Amino acid sequence: MPDPLRVLAAEPGAGQLRVRVRYAGVGPTDLAIRAGHLDAVFPAPSGTVLGFEAAGVVDAVGAGVTGVGAGDEVAVFLPRLGGYAELVLADHWARKPESVAWTDAAAVPASGEAAVRVLGQLGVTSG
């Protein structure tokens, strides 16, 4: 995993996007991490760039990425943090519809991931 502080120089790897962040989502988990309450799960040494979610414009795509390219608007989920950076490397993204505000797009990814995880834990299937 690239150092979030050096992500500005990183090229996207296979299956990744590099995204220029327009807005970052800020949630209660970010605050708990910064306060040190989650050190056992998310240690945050000095200089850690927080942020599980962001929205921005694709700057570069890695090998194997299809359906999205430079200049496309996306919302990204960042389980390894880094959403408060200028540029992030993302493995998980969705296109941002034109009708969705940047602020809303930045607030959706972590909530969407949590909803999908809960449905999986409950064993919910289609129908």
Side-chain angles (χ1 to χ4, degrees):
M1 176 178 89
D3 178 350
L5 295 177
R6 295 195 177 114
V7 77
L8 290 172
E11 292 296 321
Q16 289 184 318
L17 302 178
R18 186 172 63 202
V19 176
R20 183 165 301 281
V21 174
R22 296 275 313 263
Y23 284 86
V26 178
T29 305
D30 297 309
L31 303 176
I33 291 170
R34 183 60 71 213
H37 299 309
L38 298 175
D39 280 346
V41 181
F42 291 107
S46 179
T48 297
V49 178
L50 294 179
F52 286 103
E53 55 195 349
V57 178
V58 175
D59 177 75
V61 298
V65 173
T66 59
V68 65
D72 288 340
E73 299 176 348
V74 294
V76 298
F77 174 62
L78 305 159
R80 293 181 302 247
L81 301 174
Y84 298 178
E86 256 183 79
L87 289 169
V88 296
L89 293 177
D91 298 315
H92 312 284
W93 65 85
R95 285 177 166 272
K96 182 188 90 56
E98 214 173 288
S99 62
V100 173
W102 283 106
T103 52
D104 294 338
V108 168
S111 297
E113 183 277 333
V116 168
R117 189 168 13 96
V118 167
L119 292 174
Q121 290 174 348
L122 293 173
V124 175
T125 60
S126 64

